[in-house]
Structure formats: C-alpha cells, structure tokens
C-alpha cells in the first residue's frame, strides 16, 4: 500500500477513536430529578399529579406525600409538565449537567384555575329542569403551614386526632387524661409513678413511641404539659401507623404531639 494511503487510513482511525468516546459520553443518561408538588394556597402536598417528561413522553404519578422522581435523564435541557384536575397545567424546565442530581419543589395554584374559568350564567330556574335544594359544605379551617402533615393525615381517617379545643373541652389535666377516652388506649397505673399510656393491641404492654414536633422523644413525650399541646395524633397499632412513623416500635403504637411553641429554633426537624 502506498505511504500516503497508509497515512490517511491511520488518520481516519485516530479521529474515529476520538469520536466514539465523545459520542458515548453525550448519550449517557444518568441525571436525576426529584421533588414534591404542593398546593400553593395551603402548602399541602398534592397526590396523584401526573408528571410527564416531554423529552420521551414517560410519565408518573406523585405519591401520597406529593413526591416524584425521574432517573436516567440526559444532560441538557429537559422539560416536564404537571397536571391534575382542578389546577391549571404547569411546566418545569431544568438544565441538567452530566450526572447531576437535582431537586425541585413545584407549587400548583388552584386559584389560577378559578380565575381563568369562564363566567357562570346567572343563577335561576331553568325550564324543564328540576331545582334541588342547596347543600352547605363546611370546611375545617387550616391550622397553618406547620400543621400541614397533621391535617393531611387526619383526612385519611387512620388513627385518632385531637386539637386544643377538644382537649380543653374534656377538662384533661395531663396527657394521660387527654387520651383516656380514645379507643384502644389503656392507662397502666400503679407503683407510685402515675399512669403510663399503653395500647390495648400492643404486645407485652410495651410503651408507645412518642414523637414531639416531628422528633422522636420518648423521655420528654410522656410528660409534655397538657397546656402546651396544640394537637395530638394517636395510632394504637402497626396497621394504622403512617409510613413516616413506621419504625421498629410501631407495634407498640405511636403518639404524635404538636406543641404550641414548636421545635426550638435552629434544631433540625
């Protein structure tokens, strides 16, 4: 083979060798995007939101905590679409670097959908249509963003819930008095140490787990002053304990206490 042909062939092989790794790197899909979707008006998580990756059309639904997660994303610009009944569709555009792990919180505004809705015709009888009596719907006022998880779990119907008004009406002098009337709750009194809370379904009458302002605190929890309690969650067995509290002691029950002051400033929750 002539020398200049051998040189040209060697040059082509060298260039191809450089191009293949570059092409392989450009095709790597190891980026990740995760986050949560919440209602902008209430701060509560939105479950069942459809999240679509517009790059490949793949979609998923947010879980009960409003969480979503995409993996194997390419680097560069990636667009997502969020949609759920009662809210206007919302887009999200992210720019991912190679192998980047990114988190994004998405707030969906239900009031925007109401504002964009066409005006309703004036109310009044429609010929040929039977008019039904009106129905009054009463919605419990929100206790505020700090209690968003308490209110979300209360809506599920699992567990038993008390707020300050319930405790004050009962005339309870301490935590034990406040939960005395709840189903599945027993008081273990004796030994001169007062009464301890036990769950009827708990094995070997073991002590429940105490969570104070979202932090496990089994030393302080049983003695929290009733005047400091803003809300209570009581789960009497493993079957009704929510996932975020389903630890090794879930079978003994879980008592979640929300105090008026909240956790100390600067303390990680």
């Amino acid at each position: 083979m002539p020398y200049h042909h051998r040189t040209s062939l060697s040059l082509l092989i060298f260039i191809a060798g450089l191009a293949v790794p570059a092409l392989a790197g450009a095709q790597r899909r190891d980026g990740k995007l995760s986050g949560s979707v919440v209602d902008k008006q209430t701060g509560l998580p939105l479950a069942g939101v459809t999240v679509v990756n517009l790059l490949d059309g793949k979609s998923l639904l947010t879980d009960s905590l409003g969480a979503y997660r995409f993996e194997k994303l390419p680097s560069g610009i990636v667009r997502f679409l969020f949609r759920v009944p009662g809210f206007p569709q919302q887009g999200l555009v992210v720019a991912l670097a190679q192998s980047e792990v990114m988190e994004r919180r998405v707030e969906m505004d239900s009031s925007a959908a109401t504002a964009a809705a066409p005006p309703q015709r004036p109310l009044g009888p429609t010929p040929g249509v039977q008019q039904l009596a009106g129905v009054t719907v009463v919605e419990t006022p929100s206790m505020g963003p700090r209690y968003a998880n308490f209110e979300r779990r209360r809506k599920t119907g699992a567990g038993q819930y008390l707020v300050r008004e319930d405790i004050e009406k009962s005339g309870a002098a301490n935590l034990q008095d406040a939960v005395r009337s709840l189903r599945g709750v027993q008081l273990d009194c004796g030994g001169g140490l007062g009464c301890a809370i036990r769950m009827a379904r708990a094995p070997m009458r073991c002590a429940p787990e105490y969570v104070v302002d979202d932090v496990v605190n089994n030393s302080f929890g049983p003695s929290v002053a009733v005047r400091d309690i803003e809300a209570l969650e009581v789960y009497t067995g493993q079957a009704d304990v929510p996932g975020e509290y389903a630890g090794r002691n879930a079978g003994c029950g879980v008592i979640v206490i929300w105090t008026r002051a909240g956790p100390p400033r600067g303390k990680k929750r």
Side-chain angles (χ1 to χ4, degrees):
M1 179 182 294
Y3 175 76
H4 67 279
H5 285 173
R6 291 198 303 269
T7 303
S8 299
L9 181 59
S10 300
L11 181 60
L12 288 173
I13 293 174
F14 174 75
I15 294 174
L18 293 177
V20 170
L23 181 60
Q27 292 177 340
R28 288 175 58 187
R29 301 172 67 93
D30 53 2
K32 297 178 182 179
L33 173 69
S34 62
S36 61
V37 184
V38 301
D39 186 330
K40 184 177 181 180
Q41 299 302 312
T42 65
L44 295 175
L46 291 175
V49 178
T50 300
V51 188
V52 183
N53 179 350
L54 297 179
L55 186 65
D56 56 15
K58 293 181 179 179
S59 64
L60 53 78
L61 295 176
T62 57
D63 63 17
S64 61
L65 298 177
Y68 67 92
R69 182 180 179 86
F70 283 91
E71 299 185 352
K72 299 182 179 179
L73 297 174
S75 59
I77 302 297
V78 187
R79 293 175 171 82
F80 298 87
L81 181 66
F82 296 76
R83 59 191 183 206
V84 66
F87 294 78
Q89 296 187 104
Q90 185 159 328
L92 173 66
V93 180
V94 298
L96 292 171
Q98 191 72 57
S99 306
E100 184 173 5
V101 178
M102 183 180 293
E103 291 188 10
R104 285 291 183 272
R105 171 186 167 106
V106 175
E107 296 182 344
M108 300 189 73
D109 190 357
S110 58
S111 64
T114 303
Q120 302 295 316
R121 66 175 181 80
L123 296 177
T126 302
V129 177
Q130 181 182 1
Q131 300 298 314
L132 301 178
V135 177
T136 301
V137 178
V138 179
E139 176 70 18
T140 303
S142 172
M143 297 173 64
R146 190 163 78 87
Y147 303 98
N149 288 331
F150 169 83
E151 294 177 330
R152 171 180 58 80
R153 289 190 288 267
R154 181 166 58 172
K155 290 180 179 179
T156 67
Q160 301 173 81
Y161 303 84
L162 298 174
V163 296
R164 167 165 292 278
E165 183 180 0
D166 301 321
I167 298 172
E168 290 178 347
K169 284 181 179 179
S170 71
N174 51 45
L175 174 62
Q176 289 75 12
D177 286 346
V179 301
R180 181 191 298 270
S181 62
L182 299 181
R183 66 181 183 277
V185 175
Q186 298 178 341
L187 296 185
D188 189 0
C189 303
L193 299 176
C195 297
I197 300 172
R198 298 287 186 266
M199 305 304 173
R201 291 185 289 168
M204 303 296 292
R205 301 185 64 77
C206 56
E209 186 99 286
Y210 286 86
V211 179
V212 181
D213 292 320
D214 255 358
V215 176
V216 175
N217 194 329
N218 291 317
S219 57
F220 174 61
S223 60
V224 173
V226 71
R227 65 178 179 275
D228 294 333
I229 298 175
E230 194 67 30
L232 279 172
E233 304 173 47
V234 178
Y235 304 97
T236 58
Q238 193 164 7
D240 58 358
V241 174
E244 50 264 61
Y245 301 130
R248 58 185 178 84
N249 293 327
C252 299
V254 177
I255 298 177
V256 183
I257 302 171
W258 298 90
T259 67
R260 303 186 71 177
R265 290 185 177 181
K267 184 174 182 179
K268 186 177 180 181
R269 297 182 61 181

